[in-house]
Amino acid sequence: MAGTQTPGSESGPAPGPASGADEAAPQPSARSPDTITFEQIRERAYELWERNHRPEGFEIEFWLLAERELRKERDRQKAEAAPAAPRSDPPPA
């Protein structure tokens, strides 16, 4: 593989992007409680992959499915936690 280092040839940290864009990017100090983390998605995608008998070549599909499931769960929890909004339109006569 081109550009990889062997374990004995490490001379320091791996070089980052040439532009240094990652260094200037603001880092979130705290995530909101409804943020879905990379780790949560990874774990769910792995569970889905295992449940489907570990097929090869479907990494992206399982990742996207995991994201979708987690978003739906989060949205459902938000909807259940939010009080029912009062209806402003009068009942039909």
Side-chain angles (χ1 to χ4, degrees):
M1 293 175 157
T4 59
Q5 295 179 343
T6 59
S9 67
E10 295 174 2
S11 59
S19 67
D22 284 348
E23 294 173 10
Q27 298 296 320
S29 58
R31 288 195 165 100
S32 63
D34 61 336
T35 300
I36 299 171
T37 65
F38 178 88
E39 188 67 18
Q40 289 172 312
I41 298 168
R42 188 190 65 77
E43 288 176 4
R44 177 67 59 94
Y46 184 79
E47 290 170 9
L48 292 168
W49 177 70
E50 281 195 321
R51 271 190 258 152
N52 286 278
H53 310 287
R54 300 179 176 188
E56 292 186 28
F58 291 93
E59 296 85 3
I60 293 173
E61 287 83 355
F62 286 121
W63 186 270
L64 295 174
L65 182 59
E67 280 186 300
R68 190 177 316 130
E69 285 185 2
L70 290 167
R71 277 195 201 111
K72 284 186 179 183
E73 288 175 11
R74 179 194 60 197
D75 293 345
R76 185 173 40 247
Q77 289 171 354
K78 278 185 179 179
E80 290 173 356
R87 294 186 57 164
S88 59
D89 47 327

